[in-house]
Amino acid sequence: MKFKRFLSIPIFSVFLLVGFVYYVTVFIFIDDWLSLQSSAGSLNALIFTVLAFLSVFSFLVCVLTDPGGVPSGYVPDIEDSEVSDQEHNKSGIHMRRCDKCSSYKPPRAHHCRVCRTCVLRMDHHCLWINNCVGHRNYKTFFILVLYATMASIYSSVITLSCALQKDWDFSRRAPLKVFYITCGVMILGLSLTLGTLFSWHIYLITVNMTTIEYYEGKRAAWLARKSGQSYHHPFNVGAYKNITLILGPNMLKWVCPTAVSHLKDGIDFPAARDSS
């Protein structure tokens, strides 16, 4: 069933884009700039190939990994609550029931209208991976964006370097100039898009928020200001701990998209009030 996710036009478009960028970067720009027969050309081709491979591998893992669904028959532990309803309201943690699934949702879980199920710690549904980004594949998604950003920036630098070293004769080679400009604009635009997305998720990780929680938090903060109170995201337990909760305690495994053994069940999460 998971492999059916690849039967998607956006996923096919991603493979097409990756193949095009890889081909023009290695076999046109690097070969034209340094020559693939030289040691410098071979080294640059190798580095870009590794980045492209890591991007594709992370993409495949991201598509195939289940984001984490709410266990069937999940019921919140009402008896394990020494916290008053008022404190629950202040922290933003509530017992919630999904109208569409007709079942309880753990904290941070949300219903995906595309997948038609509740997803643990749901960030968003990503069209480009034909899958939700949730508790079990959020790290993989973040690493995918990291490697894709690095690869696109590397390609942009190679394209620019190749263009600058050429002795352009503006009275000739019009098609070649159009090709260089088109590829340069496309790869630079891809780098800016991925770089912006990567920066956004760095921020979300450091404050331990999902994209959904960010927009919910903006509304909660606005309502709190209207009533003369202040809003604090309940799951923000400090930048370093927030990072280790997503990427893991071992820094050597931070860039490995499959190193997710540190993830818990996705039902309970450390909250700021627990450490205070």
Side-chain angles (χ1 to χ4, degrees), residues 256-275:
C256 178
T258 56
V260 292
S261 60
H262 61 282
L263 295 178
K264 307 300 182 184
D265 57 11
I267 303 295
D268 299 307
F269 296 91
R273 58 180 171 83
D274 297 332
S275 57

Side-chain angles (χ1 to χ4, degrees), residues 230-262:
S230 59
Y231 170 79
H232 300 284
H233 181 55
F235 299 105
N236 186 352
V237 290
Y240 179 74
K241 188 172 182 181
N242 291 338
I243 293 170
T244 58
L245 286 173
I246 300 298
L247 302 182
N250 188 344
M251 293 181 67
L252 296 177
K253 296 182 178 180
W254 279 8
V255 294
C256 178
T258 56
V260 292
S261 60
H262 61 282

Side-chain angles (χ1 to χ4, degrees), residues 130-178:
N130 197 21
N131 196 8
C132 270
V133 177
H135 177 62
R136 301 214 167 273
N137 65 350
Y138 180 77
K139 175 187 174 178
T140 307
F141 176 79
F142 178 76
I143 299 303
L144 162 63
V145 178
L146 165 65
Y147 287 137
T149 301
M150 292 173 64
S152 59
I153 291 175
Y154 201 93
S155 178
S156 298
V157 172
I158 288 172
T159 304
L160 182 62
S161 300
C162 181
L164 291 177
Q165 63 88 33
K166 294 185 75 67
D167 184 17
W168 292 102
D169 183 356
F170 290 97
S171 62
R172 302 177 183 177
R173 297 184 175 182
L176 181 62
K177 286 184 286 187
V178 171

Side-chain angles (χ1 to χ4, degrees), residues 66-135:
D66 190 283
V70 177
S72 59
Y74 165 78
V75 177
D77 191 357
I78 303 174
E79 294 181 356
D80 185 26
S81 179
E82 298 179 357
V83 183
S84 67
D85 291 340
Q86 185 178 6
E87 288 175 312
H88 269 298
N89 291 334
K90 285 182 180 179
S91 68
I93 305 172
H94 307 279
M95 285 174 47
R96 302 173 303 155
R97 195 177 185 91
C98 179
D99 296 331
K100 298 178 179 63
C101 294
S102 299
S103 59
Y104 285 105
K105 291 189 294 186
R108 315 187 80 179
H110 291 273
H111 186 88
C112 176
R113 290 175 295 179
V114 180
C115 297
R116 298 180 182 178
T117 188
C118 287
V119 177
L120 297 172
R121 197 189 179 277
M122 179 178 173
D123 187 87
H124 68 287
H125 182 90
C126 182
L127 178 72
W128 302 106
I129 64 171
N130 197 21
N131 196 8
C132 270
V133 177
H135 177 62

Side-chain angles (χ1 to χ4, degrees), residues 22 26 30 42-55 154:
Y22 180 82
V26 174
I30 291 181
S42 300
L43 178 61
N44 277 277
L46 176 63
I47 292 173
F48 185 73
T49 299
V50 170
L51 290 174
F53 170 79
L54 291 172
S55 299
Y154 201 93

